[in-house]
Amino acid sequence: MKRVTEEQPNYDTNVENEDTLTNRQGHPVTNNQHMRTVGNRGPATLENYDFIEKISHFDRERVPERVVHARGAGAHGYFEAYGAVGDEKVSKYTRAKLFQEKGKKTPVFVRFSSVIHGGHSPETLRDPRGFAVKFYTEDGNWDLVGNNLKIFFIRDAIKFPDMIHAFKPDPVTNIQDSERFFDFCASSPESFHMVTFVYSPWGIPANYRMMQGSGVNTYKWVNNEGKAVLVKYHWEPKQGIRNLTQKEAEEIQAKNFNHATQDLYNAIEKGDFPEWELLVQTMSDDDHPELDFDPLDDTKLWPEDLFPWKAVGKMVLDRNPEDYFTEVEQAAFGTGVLVDGLDFSDDKMLQGRTFSYSDTQRHRVGANYLQLPINAPKKRVATNQSGGQMAYRLDRGPFQNPHINYEPSILDGLKEATQLGKEYTPMIKGNLVRESIERQNNTKQAGETYRQFEQWEKTELISNLVNDLSACDPRIQEKMIALAEEADEDYGRHLREGLAHAKSNNSSQKPLGNKDGDKAPEQAVNKSHEAEPY
């Protein structure tokens, strides 16, 4: 008798390879061209899982845009330490491990940005540029968050929201307005030094590779004995420094509003890796009554002849991001992210930024933003923190009792680290007050900067200021002229004469420094071409 054998059933429903499209649940997608409908004309049905997952994720592709520094570009690289501060051992000043050994390399990610304008704004607009570096050190992350210009508009963080509101577009017209900008600056005389830089060619860097960087704020270095010095950080590009005039920037913008991002990407792709040298200035940790400014005032430069720049290492950017959103957009920086051997100063802008920056990231990216690969330290992490939106792992130690999510504990919970370096314990004494610093000296350094400009830079500065101030209220004009005269006689005279001869029929509703932007709506009508409806 012949034995009957059953055929093995075939449970395969589709062919799936390594490059097969799936949905977020891992289900292979067999039709990505058509949603499920009643007949080929519709209507659609609610059980279109693949479509609903796809479109609902699309609706949520953007996290909230940064209020400031929205427009940016980034790259990966490394920082190589010199093992010294100038000619001295670095250990004399700081015990931070990344600086100690000559040739020691630390991975970094850098994000460059504009400040005021939105995520797809032209990279030719007059604006400071952000220069933020994330060091993935063996002790955890260090974020050095600064700008291309080495000073700032204000010295007290309570003024920051008002400053940004004034520089952002008008809340009614949604158009940037130079009168609003100068209204704030004329009423905040400490801003005049920064205005002098921003309205000069330094306000429009040629690209990201050819601009300086600065930590702007004053920090502290702490050595193994618990002794501290004040420190300022400066990035100097090995590619040289290049800036644009207003006219040159407008010509570039007419052709390509992504030119700086493209320049950075292309340079790295072809192996022309941009480099910066990191230099520091140090100062003893006291209020230095011999100076005519407060060393914690971020509207001031430390004179290089008194506090020389000393090289501590170099940075090389040698790899472009694989995905812009995952790395550049979700990169999250904070001025409070320091490692052992680095510390805060009492700089009031730094104190305010230290809360604001990390708080912004928790709002913008989420409570677990530090679990994202671009933000996560490249070392072990063990905390008692858990929960929150989008958590995808537990930051637990390998031998931690999973029932113990608190400290202290004797039941195999996490333990505190043993600190070897001596704690820095500065003496702090004084009444709690709401007062400005005593040595304000708001315009002296602006005058020094003006005198150091080349003649073409002075001419460009006055032209840009006159162009925008001529559309402002006369009271604002007089305040700005008075600040310029206080800074430098020649500066003030040229500004006054320029405004006296300027036409005042132009509008302030246009990008900063732009000469004829207010005429663009009319030009669009006059130069356009009629068309018939179709």
Side-chain angles (χ1 to χ4, degrees), residues 73-89:
H76 298 269
Y78 62 87
F79 173 77
E80 183 175 336
Y82 294 164
V85 181
D87 298 328
E88 300 178 281
K89 280 190 173 183

Side-chain angles (χ1 to χ4, degrees), residues 52-62:
I52 290 172
E53 181 196 83
K54 185 178 181 181
I55 198 68
S56 61
H57 184 272
F58 174 79
D59 295 342
R60 295 162 173 80
E61 277 186 1
R62 298 293 181 265

Side-chain angles (χ1 to χ4, degrees), residues 14-314:
N14 53 68
V15 178
E16 183 175 357
N17 301 308
E18 289 298 312
D19 60 353
T20 298
L21 178 68
T22 76
N23 64 22
R24 299 301 288 271
Q25 301 283 9
H27 308 157
V29 174
T30 56
N31 191 331
N32 195 41
Q33 314 306 314
H34 309 103
M35 65 171 68
R36 197 174 190 187
T37 57
V38 180
N40 60 20
R41 296 179 64 242
T45 57
L46 189 61
E47 76 272 10
N48 267 279
Y49 184 88
D50 286 355
F51 166 73
I52 290 172
E53 181 196 83
K54 185 178 181 181
I55 198 68
S56 61
H57 184 272
F58 174 79
D59 295 342
R60 295 162 173 80
E61 277 186 1
R62 298 293 181 265
V63 298
E65 186 175 281
R66 290 168 167 89
V67 177
V68 288
H69 299 281
R71 169 59 133 140
H76 298 269
Y78 62 87
F79 173 77
E80 183 175 336
Y82 294 164
V85 181
D87 298 328
E88 300 178 281
K89 280 190 173 183
V90 72
S91 58
K92 175 181 176 181
Y93 297 100
T94 177
R95 60 180 184 246
K97 293 177 185 174
L98 80 158
F99 292 122
Q100 302 303 320
E101 300 172 23
K102 183 178 181 180
K104 183 181 180 69
K105 291 184 178 180
T106 299
V108 300
F109 181 78
V110 180
R111 186 176 187 270
F112 304 107
S113 59
S114 59
V115 177
I116 295 302
H117 308 286
H120 289 284
S121 55
E123 293 181 303
T124 45
L125 295 176
R126 187 170 302 282
D127 202 17
R129 301 297 192 270
F131 195 124
V133 184
K134 187 179 294 292
F135 298 79
Y136 301 95
T137 87
E138 62 190 283
D139 276 340
N141 289 351
W142 169 35
D143 290 352
L144 180 54
V145 191
N147 289 331
N148 66 315
L149 301 174
K150 299 176 183 298
I151 55 172
F152 202 56
F153 291 95
I154 53 176
R155 61 171 70 98
D156 194 311
I158 200 171
K159 297 181 70 169
F160 188 76
D162 296 292
M163 185 198 83
I164 297 301
H165 287 171
F167 297 178
K168 285 278 192 181
D170 184 304
V172 177
T173 65
N174 198 36
I175 300 171
Q176 191 179 29
D177 193 321
S178 57
E179 186 171 60
R180 287 162 43 83
F181 176 91
F182 282 111
D183 186 28
F184 178 88
C185 292
S187 306
S188 306
E190 72 271 27
S191 69
F192 191 68
H193 195 187
M194 188 66 164
V195 169
T196 300
F197 270 112
V198 169
Y199 267 78
S200 78
W202 292 81
I204 313 180
N207 53 50
Y208 297 131
R209 292 183 303 117
M210 296 174 173
M211 70 181 193
Q212 295 171 299
S214 171
V216 179
N217 295 110
T218 302
Y219 290 85
K220 290 179 183 176
W221 272 1
V222 182
N223 67 14
N224 221 36
E225 287 72 50
K227 296 178 181 177
V229 293
L230 301 177
V231 63
K232 275 190 180 275
Y233 300 100
H234 305 279
W235 293 106
E236 291 299 303
K238 296 287 188 72
Q239 299 74 234
I241 303 167
R242 300 187 73 87
N243 300 317
L244 296 168
T245 66
Q246 182 68 36
K247 184 175 184 295
E248 291 162 348
E250 289 172 6
E251 290 171 352
I252 292 167
Q253 181 176 320
K255 296 183 172 111
N256 186 344
F257 67 93
N258 308 289
H259 82 282
T261 295
Q262 186 172 346
D263 173 85
L264 178 66
Y265 183 89
N266 288 349
I268 293 173
E269 283 298 292
K270 67 183 182 183
D272 184 13
F273 302 141
E275 296 185 23
W276 287 260
E277 189 165 54
L278 180 61
L279 303 104
V280 298
Q281 291 175 287
T282 58
M283 184 189 298
S284 60
D285 184 15
D286 54 77
D287 59 3
H288 288 269
E290 77 280 4
L291 299 175
D292 62 5
F293 66 93
D294 192 306
L296 302 185
D297 182 352
D298 66 356
T299 69
K300 302 293 189 293
L301 297 167
W302 290 2
E304 193 174 347
D305 57 338
L306 298 177
F307 308 100
W309 292 16
K310 299 178 180 179
V312 296
K314 71 173 184 177

Side-chain angles (χ1 to χ4, degrees), residues 429-453:
K429 183 181 179 181
N431 297 325
L432 287 174
V433 297
R434 291 190 178 96
E435 297 175 357
S436 182
I437 60 173
E438 293 177 354
R439 290 168 285 165
Q440 297 187 18
N441 214 345
N442 291 319
T443 59
K444 179 185 176 184
Q445 289 197 2
E448 293 170 349
T449 294
Y450 176 81
R451 290 187 290 275
Q452 290 172 0
F453 281 163

Side-chain angles (χ1 to χ4, degrees), residues 314-326:
K314 71 173 184 177
M315 178 173 70
V316 179
L317 300 183
D318 59 3
R319 180 165 61 90
N320 281 313
E322 293 181 10
D323 180 75
Y324 180 88
F325 179 84
T326 306

